[in-house]
């Protein structure tokens, strides 16, 4: 039994890395804000996003384990090099948007811990990340172990807190039933979808399973592992919403790290602010690293400049993403919590093209042979594509309105 548990933990490396991509400070902030403002009402959004994410991540894994050529090079060879480059650029800018939120998260978390101004900390953590990118000999193994620890800590913390809080399970269950009133704030719903339904992470599974050293004989193991990762990240998000809803709703609105930390006071008492801030900072740094690696690696691959993080150009593009996120966050002035939510939501603007690429490739018999999508997978993939398009349409107009007021 012990040996089997160890084998399971060894196999879920890509899953925990994927969870760390999505569970960053933006996700924690969004989930905490949703819980404090809406209680359990939007849990159904996470459930639907989870189902769609399972479909797309399974598609990424199946491609990665059945093809020697990387995903974006396959797109370039079979469809259009320009299309591959466009996807690479979309992921690059999505990662840069996430980095802005990650750096804000690091700043407000470290400010709560040290009382040193928030803008200082991105200038501390970003160089640390760049050093790790350029000097780590086996970046995948380092990230795999680091992310596994971070995710397990978050699971344990919020699980224990839920047990102590004892939320009303009947009220929680009602949150999985959609209602018209839930659709009044599409801005929040869009951001909440982004906490789970992250297609750049789904596509990057095709690369992670290769970095893991798996092949076609690991197909079933890879799909199960990936699904575990999706369920893990959705459970973490749900736990944050539930704890926030049970402890903050309807009297307290989240507008700082200390405000978010109030949901952990039952477990950690007066130390809640520090414990939550440490967890937020850890989530921010882990997400900062993985998102930059995804954006840098996929852009380099789309340009035919290599995909391995042991090569020069992926590392260089990754460092550029880290630097962009740092610079923007250092000079940012405004509502940090709102900005983190907007960064989380706006990162989906280029995502529909990732969905198109995955759907095209996974239905190409020449490429996938016997592992093409079945009709059920295509049905959910198309539903996910239209959901993302609706969210992008809304976010586009939201950003235009915001820019026009500047």
């Amino acid at each position: 039994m012990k040996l089997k548990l160890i084998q399971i933990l060894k196999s879920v490396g890509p899953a925990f890395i994927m969870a760390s991509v999505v569970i960053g400070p933006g996700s924690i902030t969004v989930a905490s804000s949703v819980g404090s403002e809406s209680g359990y009402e939007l849990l159904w959004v996470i459930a639907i996003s989870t189902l769609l994410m399972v479909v797309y991540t399974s598609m990424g894994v199946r491609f990665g384990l059945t093809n020697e050529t990387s995903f974006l090079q396959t797109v370039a060879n079979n469809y259009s090099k320009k299309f591959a480059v466009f996807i690479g650029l979309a992921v690059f800018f999505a990662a840069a948007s996430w980095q802005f939120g990650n750096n804000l998260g690091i700043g407000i978390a470290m400010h709560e811990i040290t009382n040193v101004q928030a803008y200082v900390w991105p200038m501390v953590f970003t160089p640390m990340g760049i050093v790790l990118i350029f000097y780590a000999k086996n970046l995948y193994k380092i990230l795999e172990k680091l992310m596994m620890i971070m995710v397990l800590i978050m699971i344990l913390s919020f699980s224990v807190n839920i047990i102590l809080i004892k939320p009303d399970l009947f009220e929680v269950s009602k949150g999985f039933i959609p209602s018209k009133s839930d659709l009044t704030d599409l801005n929040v719903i869009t951001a909440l979808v982004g906490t789970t339904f992250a297609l750049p992470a789904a596509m990057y599974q095709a690369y992670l399973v290769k970095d893991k050293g798996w092949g076609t004989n690991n197909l079933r193991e890879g799909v199960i592992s990936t699904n575990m990762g999706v369920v893990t990240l959705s459970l973490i998000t749900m736990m944050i919403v539930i704890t926030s809803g049970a402890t903050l709703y309807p009297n307290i609105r989240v507008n700082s790290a200390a405000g978010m930390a109030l949901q952990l006071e039952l477990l950690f008492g007066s130390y809640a602010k520090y414990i939550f801030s440490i967890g937020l900072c850890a989530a921010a740094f882990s997400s900062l690293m993985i998102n930059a690696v995804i954006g840098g690696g996929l852009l380099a691959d789309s340009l035919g400049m290599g995909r391995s993080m042991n090569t020069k150009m992926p590392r260089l593009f990754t460092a550029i993403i880290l630097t962009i996120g740092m610079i923007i966050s250092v000079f940012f002035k405004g509502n940090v919590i709102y900005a983190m939510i907007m960064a989380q939501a706006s990162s989906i603007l280029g995502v529909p093209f990732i969905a198109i690429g995955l759907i095209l490739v996974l239905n190409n018999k020449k490429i996938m042979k016997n592992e093409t999508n079945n009709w059920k997978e295509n049905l959910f993939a198309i539903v996910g594509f239209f959901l993302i398009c609706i969210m992008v349409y809304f976010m586009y107009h939201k950003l235009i309105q915001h820019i026009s007021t500047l």
Side-chain angles (χ1 to χ4, degrees):
M1 181 70 179
K2 183 179 179 180
L3 180 61
K4 189 173 181 180
L5 178 60
I6 293 174
Q7 289 174 337
I8 291 173
L9 289 175
K10 285 183 176 180
S11 72
V12 297
F16 277 108
I17 288 179
M18 181 188 65
S20 298
V21 172
V22 185
I23 303 296
S27 299
I28 294 174
T29 301
V30 169
S32 298
S33 179
V34 166
S36 70
E37 294 184 13
S38 305
Y40 314 131
E41 291 179 2
L42 294 177
L43 288 173
W44 63 270
V45 176
I46 304 173
I48 292 175
S49 300
T50 301
L51 177 60
L52 298 175
M53 186 64 172
V54 164
V55 173
Y56 274 96
T57 51
S58 297
M59 289 162 63
V61 169
R62 294 204 326 271
F63 173 85
L65 295 180
T66 55
N67 287 272
E68 292 299 323
T69 307
S70 69
F71 182 81
L72 288 180
Q73 284 303 301
T74 297
V75 171
N77 295 337
N78 290 271
Y79 298 100
S80 166
K81 185 173 182 179
K82 290 181 180 179
F83 184 37
V85 172
F86 192 87
I87 293 176
L89 286 170
V91 178
F92 180 87
F93 286 113
S97 177
W98 264 321
Q99 292 309 90
F100 170 56
N102 290 333
N103 278 287
L104 289 180
I106 286 175
I108 64 172
M110 291 303 297
H111 174 67
E112 292 291 344
I113 296 170
T114 66
N115 208 33
V116 175
Q117 291 297 318
Y119 72 85
V120 172
W121 295 106
M123 295 186 289
V124 174
F125 282 87
T126 296
M128 289 171 54
I130 292 174
V131 169
L132 183 60
I133 291 295
F134 278 99
Y135 293 99
K137 290 185 177 180
N138 193 327
L139 188 61
Y140 174 81
K141 287 187 178 180
I142 292 173
L143 293 176
E144 182 182 61
K145 292 178 181 178
L146 180 62
M147 300 312 113
M148 191 175 294
I149 292 170
M150 298 298 182
V151 173
L152 288 174
I153 288 173
M154 284 189 283
I155 292 173
L156 180 62
S157 175
F158 283 101
S159 295
V160 173
N161 203 50
I162 281 183
I163 293 172
L164 293 175
I165 291 171
K166 297 178 181 178
D168 187 326
L169 296 181
F170 178 72
E171 290 298 319
V172 170
S173 66
K174 292 197 305 187
F176 291 95
I177 302 173
S179 66
K180 289 183 180 180
S181 62
D182 295 343
L183 301 176
T184 55
D185 193 347
L186 288 178
N187 181 36
V188 174
I189 290 178
T190 301
L192 194 56
V193 169
T195 63
T196 305
F197 192 30
L199 289 191
M203 183 173 66
Y204 201 62
Q205 286 297 303
Y207 296 80
L208 287 175
V209 292
K210 284 296 185 185
D211 289 339
K212 184 74 174 175
W214 286 346
T216 54
N217 58 318
N218 301 108
L219 188 57
R220 183 173 180 274
E221 180 183 7
V223 171
I224 293 174
S225 166
T226 303
N227 291 345
M228 286 177 60
V230 176
V231 172
T232 297
L233 71 90
S234 65
L235 286 177
I236 293 174
T237 306
M238 287 181 184
M239 284 192 288
I240 296 172
V241 171
I242 292 170
T243 54
S244 179
T247 55
L248 307 182
Y249 177 77
N251 299 315
I252 300 174
R253 293 290 182 267
V254 168
N255 53 23
S256 68
M260 288 187 280
L262 289 174
Q263 60 191 295
L264 294 181
E265 279 198 349
L266 188 59
L267 177 58
F268 297 114
S270 60
Y271 294 99
K273 180 178 74 171
Y274 302 102
I275 297 296
F276 187 87
S277 294
I278 290 171
L280 183 65
C281 187
F285 185 68
S286 62
S287 184
L288 178 143
M289 289 296 301
I290 299 298
N291 280 313
V293 166
I294 291 177
L298 292 183
L299 178 58
D301 185 36
S302 71
L303 295 170
M305 296 181 177
R307 57 151 303 273
S308 171
M309 288 310 298
N310 295 321
T311 55
K312 180 181 177 181
M313 293 310 296
R315 287 181 170 182
L316 179 60
F317 286 135
T318 299
I320 291 173
I321 292 174
L322 288 168
T323 304
I324 290 173
M326 178 190 72
I327 292 173
I328 296 175
S329 64
V330 167
F331 291 98
F332 174 77
K333 303 294 182 183
N335 186 319
V336 173
I337 298 299
Y338 179 75
M340 290 171 69
I341 293 174
M342 287 298 292
Q344 184 78 16
S346 62
S347 64
I348 71 171
L349 291 176
V351 166
F353 298 97
I354 300 173
I356 291 171
L358 283 165
I359 291 171
L360 286 175
V361 170
L362 269 292
N363 282 281
N364 190 320
K365 289 188 178 181
K366 178 184 174 182
I367 299 170
M368 295 302 300
K369 298 180 174 61
N370 294 327
E371 293 299 330
T372 55
N373 279 359
N374 57 41
W375 72 268
K376 292 180 182 178
E377 289 165 334
N378 278 329
L379 176 62
F380 284 111
I382 292 171
V383 169
F385 170 71
F386 281 110
L387 174 63
I388 287 292
C389 287
I390 293 170
M391 299 293 101
V392 167
Y393 177 81
F394 170 75
M395 278 307 303
Y396 172 78
H397 285 279
K398 190 79 173 178
L399 289 173
I400 292 297
Q401 290 174 4
H402 180 69
I403 292 171
S404 65
T405 60
L406 297 178

